Structure formats: structure tokens, C-alpha cells
Amino acid sequence: MAMASCEGCRICIYWWLINIIVMLCSFVVGSQCAAFNDFFYPSWALDHVMSQGDLLQLKLDHASGAGFASKSTYLFGKANVQIKLVPGDSAGTVTAFYMSSQGDQHDEFDYEFLGNTSGEPYVVQTNVYSKGVGNREQRIYLWFDPTANFHSYSFLWNRQQAVFFVDDVPIRVFSNNEKRGVPYPQTRPMGIFSSIWNADDWATQGGRVKTDWSHAPFLSTYKNFNIDACKYTTGSSCSSWWDQPAYASLNEKQSMQLKWVHEKYMIYDYCKDSVRFPTPPAECA
């Protein structure tokens, strides 16, 4: 009986250690487990960046929003995070997850989650900057409640295309159209960022619905960051799995998923905005 009891203790201790490791390893770089502070830092409003076990939260109140950033920059690869967005009446708030380089001619990939009044579907605005030129907004409704559970949001970036994924479903593709004279982000390494802030001058119904501060603080919650990308240093070749032909374009299933999202959930596409662009941008052809 004593031996069986001791064996049971060893099993309990083993599973306890496993659970502790899983809890601590909420950030993954490549195949390595890492702590948040090893790869990211609070970039502003440190007292509004909060850690709770394996979760990270950004807080917005009347005093401030908050943000964090990666310590390194990356050139090609995949970045993913699971986010639970601000619940309830989040009108006027914006939670952003994005990649960006520095300088006047910066490159950037954006997710901007636009808050809403309770019961309305969340709007996701995406944008792409290349050599400092943006104005490439697309907006979709999400097909689930992003405040009820965690969902994955990803960038896949290589020399042929940049793909935005929601739960592994592609919602946007920005292809390399340099042959048409469209600059493509492929020379400037980008950092990884996230933030929450008040944008009630435009975020909800074009700014008609303002932030109700009686619902503050507004919290966006994060877990399971995964970065499988080229950590850029001078002279880096930044070639790896993302250069394989399988990642040069969407496969048949992904193409069908993208079509489904655009047909059922897209509510704005800059390519179809003839008021802003009487001549469609070259990449829209």
C-alpha cells in the first residue's frame, strides 16, 4: 500500500509540474516556451498592462489606454495570438493587433477591432501599408462572438503574399504586385504590437456612438502568443518554411474560405469605393 501511495504521489507531482509549465508557457517563439517579458515589453501605460497567470490584459479607462511591443523585429514568418475582446458595451474603443516597421515609409499589417454597443456584431478592420502608403481598409463582421471565448488572429508573411487569418480562416490576402508598380513589404523588418485606446471620434458607426465611460475599465485579454518567424539581424537571409511553394498562394480550401468570408461578412472594401478611388488602385485589378 505504501508503494502504491508513493507512486500515486509521484504521478500527482508530475501532473502538477506539467500544469505549472503549461500555465507559464503562454508565449511561444518557434518551438520554444518563453515568458512574456523575454520577448515583449509594455510600450506605454505600464500600470494598464496586467498579468494574471497565463493571461495578459490591456486596460482602457478615462485616464489612459495601453500597449505592448516585441523586443525584436521580424522579416517573414507567422505571428499569432489568441484574444478575447472587450465584452458588453465597447462602443468607441479599438483593440489593435499589428505588425509595423519604423520610419516615414513604414510597412504595416493591421487588425483593428472596433467596439460596438451591446448585441451588435464586432467589426474587424484590416489595413496594409507599404512604403508608407495605406488607405487599404477592408471591414468584415465576425461570424462568432469574440468576447465570449478566445479566438486566434494571425499574420502569415512571405515574399509572395501576406495573409490575415481568423481561427485559420483567411479573411484577407495582400499579394506581391510589384510587377504592377505596387510596393510590397519585403525589405523592412517589423515589430509585433498590440494596444487598446479610445477612438470614439470614428470607431463606432463613424463616430456617432461615443464611449460610455460608466462601463470602464475596458479589458482586452490575451494568451498563447506564437511567433514562428525570422528574428531579423543585419545580413539575415530570412529563408525558411514560409518560402516553400505551398505558402506562395492559398490552397483550394483556403480560397473557398476567403470567398465565403467576403461574400457573407464583408461590409467595406476600398477596392470597391469609387468615391475615394475613381480609378481603382493597381492591386485591385
Side-chain angles (χ1 to χ4, degrees):
M1 291 293 293
M3 289 182 63
S5 176
C6 189
E7 180 65 23
C9 286
R10 280 196 292 267
I11 292 173
C12 288
I13 291 171
Y14 170 78
W15 283 110
W16 177 77
L17 289 172
I18 290 294
N19 287 329
I20 290 294
I21 291 170
V22 170
M23 182 183 72
L24 292 175
C25 294
S26 57
F27 295 90
V28 181
V29 177
S31 59
Q32 296 183 340
C33 179
F36 171 82
N37 290 337
D38 289 339
F39 294 93
F40 298 89
Y41 66 95
S43 54
W44 56 290
L46 275 63
D47 60 335
H48 284 52
V49 181
M50 303 169 293
S51 178
Q52 295 185 352
D54 63 339
L55 304 179
L56 185 81
Q57 289 187 315
L58 295 183
K59 180 174 72 172
L60 168 66
D61 57 24
H62 213 294
S64 178
F68 62 83
S70 62
K71 295 180 178 179
S72 299
T73 57
Y74 303 90
L75 189 63
F76 307 129
K78 189 172 185 179
N80 174 81
V81 68
Q82 291 183 307
I83 307 175
K84 185 188 291 185
L85 295 173
V86 177
D89 186 350
S90 58
T93 71
V94 174
T95 298
F97 170 50
Y98 61 105
M99 299 186 69
S100 182
S101 63
Q102 302 300 312
D104 294 337
Q105 293 194 330
H106 77 291
D107 298 328
E108 187 172 327
F109 304 138
D110 292 333
Y111 283 100
E112 292 180 317
F113 304 95
L114 311 184
N116 58 14
T117 57
S118 299
E120 294 183 351
Y122 243 92
V123 173
V124 180
Q125 176 171 285
T126 60
N127 203 352
V128 175
Y129 287 76
S130 53
K131 289 191 175 180
V133 177
N135 297 321
R136 297 185 174 102
E137 298 91 348
Q138 290 182 351
R139 290 186 179 187
I140 67 166
Y141 286 131
L142 289 172
W143 51 93
F144 51 83
D145 180 358
T147 72
N149 294 293
F150 287 93
H151 292 269
S152 296
Y153 305 94
S154 309
F155 299 107
L156 171 63
W157 176 32
N158 57 31
R159 292 172 176 83
Q160 287 77 39
Q161 61 176 355
V163 187
F164 296 63
F165 289 95
V166 174
D167 289 339
D168 295 324
V169 174
I171 67 166
R172 178 171 190 164
V173 176
F174 186 75
S175 299
N176 187 336
N177 280 303
E178 287 193 329
K179 291 182 178 179
R180 295 180 179 175
V182 181
Y184 181 77
Q186 61 176 332
T187 59
R188 297 171 179 81
M190 292 195 253
I192 300 168
F193 304 86
S194 191
S195 58
I196 185 171
W197 77 94
N198 178 44
D200 65 4
D201 58 331
W202 66 271
T204 305
Q205 297 182 26
R208 291 187 294 275
V209 181
K210 303 300 182 182
T211 303
D212 184 347
W213 294 105
S214 68
H215 296 298
F218 303 100
L219 300 174
S220 292
T221 308
Y222 303 76
K223 69 176 183 178
N224 295 340
F225 244 108
N226 189 301
I227 305 172
D228 191 358
C230 176
K231 184 177 177 181
Y232 184 80
T233 57
T234 303
S236 298
S237 66
C238 287
S239 294
S240 190
W241 59 266
W242 47 81
D243 292 316
Q244 297 175 13
Y247 301 101
S249 61
L250 300 184
N251 60 35
E252 184 176 358
K253 178 182 177 180
Q254 291 171 331
S255 296
M256 293 297 292
Q257 290 173 324
L258 181 67
K259 181 180 179 182
W260 172 75
V261 170
H262 285 195
E263 288 182 348
K264 293 200 65 171
Y265 298 104
M266 180 171 281
I267 57 175
Y268 177 79
D269 183 1
Y270 77 107
C271 284
K272 299 177 181 179
D273 191 336
S274 59
V275 175
R276 290 178 66 196
F277 305 102
T279 300
E283 69 268 20
C284 297

